[in-house]
């Protein structure tokens, strides 16, 4: 059961504790422990990435949403897919490293397929060129999912399919963000995909670190896989 009436200060302490977890096992343990409170906590953080990503993909997607296959990578409890369902998408597969998060995602009855995988440590356990849209929201960042996963997202998308990604733009993640953008552009130069949109947002979520106040920035990247 989620803890009722948590304050922003309490949620901030939870988030900061995650930064102390150094090993992959420790981070998975953190997310397993956080699962029950996750959705109420990110609401307290005014975490806008899921809604921004869903809106970005929805605005660009012109095909039949009822038939489209969506892969939600690092799906957590299913926040992004829940929002996409409200926009007409119906077919979802999810991948996450946390067993407890996956249990909550399954309980929503939204996903046709859910798999557990520690991204970056094991290959993405999905068939290549199978999804009309691939989304990864909140997981690309320093100390989280590595950049090596980007090529796997591209591989999972059908030719002509979309890949939607997000990352934070605050001080501690600036280097990762720059490296991510370098990789995305490099893949575009190689003809693997084309950039549909990049949306920079100032009010991404409430700041939690001691050297930041107000809101931190973030970005949504939408790419479309080349058909050749």
């Amino acid at each position: 059961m989620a803890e009722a009436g948590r304050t922003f200060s309490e949620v901030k302490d939870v988030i900061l504790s995650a930064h102390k977890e150094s090993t992959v096992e420790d981070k998975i343990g953190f997310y397993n422990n956080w699962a029950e409170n996750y959705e109420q906590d990110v609401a307290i953080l005014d975490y806008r990435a899921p809604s921004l990503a869903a809106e970005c993909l929805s605005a660009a997607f012109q095909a039949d949403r009822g038939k489209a296959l969506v892969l939600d990578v690092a799906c957590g409890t299913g926040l992004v897919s829940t929002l996409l369902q409200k926009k007409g998408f119906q077919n979802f597969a999810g991948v996450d490293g946390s067993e407890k998060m996956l249990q909550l995602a399954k309980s929503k009855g939204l996903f046709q397929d859910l798999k557990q995988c520690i991204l970056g440590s094991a290959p993405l356990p999905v068939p290549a060129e199978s999804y009309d849209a691939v989304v990864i929201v909140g997981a690309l960042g320093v100390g989280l999912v590595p950049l090596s996963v980007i090529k796997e997202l591209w591989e999972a998308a059908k030719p002509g399919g979309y890949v939607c990604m997000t990352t934070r733009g605050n001080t501690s993640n600036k280097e990762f963000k720059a490296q991510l953008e370098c990789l995305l552009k490099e893949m575009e130069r190689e003809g693997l995909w084309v950039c549909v949109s990049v949306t920079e947002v100032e009010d991404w979520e409430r700041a939690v670190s001691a050297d930041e106040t107000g809101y931190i920035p973030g970005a949504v990247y939408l790419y479309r896989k080349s058909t050749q």
Side-chain angles (χ1 to χ4, degrees):
M1 291 287 293
E3 297 176 23
R6 275 158 66 111
T7 65
F8 173 64
S9 179
E10 289 170 329
V11 174
K12 181 167 70 171
D13 289 342
V14 170
I15 303 299
L16 292 175
S17 73
H19 298 169
K20 301 173 184 176
E21 308 293 358
S22 55
T23 69
V24 171
E25 292 76 13
D26 287 342
K27 288 197 180 292
I28 295 300
F30 167 80
Y31 282 102
N32 280 332
N33 291 331
W34 193 24
E36 289 288 350
N37 291 303
Y38 175 76
E39 293 196 10
Q40 80 163 17
D41 285 359
V42 295
I44 291 169
L45 285 172
D46 197 14
Y47 177 54
R48 300 179 61 208
S51 61
L52 291 166
E55 184 58 43
C56 179
L57 176 59
S58 178
F61 198 90
Q62 299 299 315
D64 186 342
R65 300 180 186 205
K67 295 180 179 177
L69 300 178
V70 178
L71 176 63
D72 191 347
V73 181
C75 64
T77 61
L79 277 179
V80 178
S81 289
T82 298
L83 292 168
L84 287 173
Q85 185 188 44
K86 293 176 181 177
K87 295 182 179 297
F89 295 89
Q90 296 177 24
N91 306 296
F92 300 95
V95 176
D96 200 88
S98 164
E99 181 181 359
K100 296 293 187 184
M101 290 279 193
L102 287 171
Q103 288 173 1
L104 290 171
K106 183 178 181 179
S107 72
K108 294 184 175 179
L110 179 66
F111 293 90
Q112 286 80 44
D113 185 45
L114 287 166
K115 289 187 171 71
Q116 186 174 8
C117 175
I118 299 176
L119 300 167
S121 298
L124 193 61
V126 299
E129 299 193 340
S130 296
Y131 298 93
D132 299 281
V134 179
V135 297
I136 182 167
V137 175
L140 289 171
V142 62
L144 297 172
V145 172
L147 291 173
S148 60
V149 170
I150 299 297
K151 191 68 174 288
E152 296 182 66
L153 305 177
W154 172 85
E155 289 171 349
K158 291 178 180 178
Y162 292 89
V163 182
C164 183
M165 302 155 279
T166 73
T167 199
R168 292 174 289 109
N170 59 324
T171 302
S172 64
N173 201 57
K174 275 190 176 178
E175 184 177 351
F176 182 96
K177 184 174 183 286
Q179 292 172 346
L180 170 63
E181 291 175 353
C182 237
L183 175 58
L184 300 181
K185 291 174 184 175
E186 180 182 336
M187 289 174 64
E188 185 170 22
R189 286 193 298 270
E190 292 173 358
L192 299 180
W193 57 18
V194 294
C195 181
V196 177
S197 65
V198 176
T199 307
E200 300 277 355
V201 179
E202 287 302 313
D203 295 337
W204 189 256
E205 67 182 13
R206 295 174 73 179
V208 298
S209 68
D211 57 346
E212 294 170 332
T213 58
Y215 282 72
I216 64 168
V220 182
Y221 307 90
L222 185 65
Y223 280 73
R224 191 171 192 184
K225 186 171 180 175
S226 301
T227 54
Q228 296 180 346

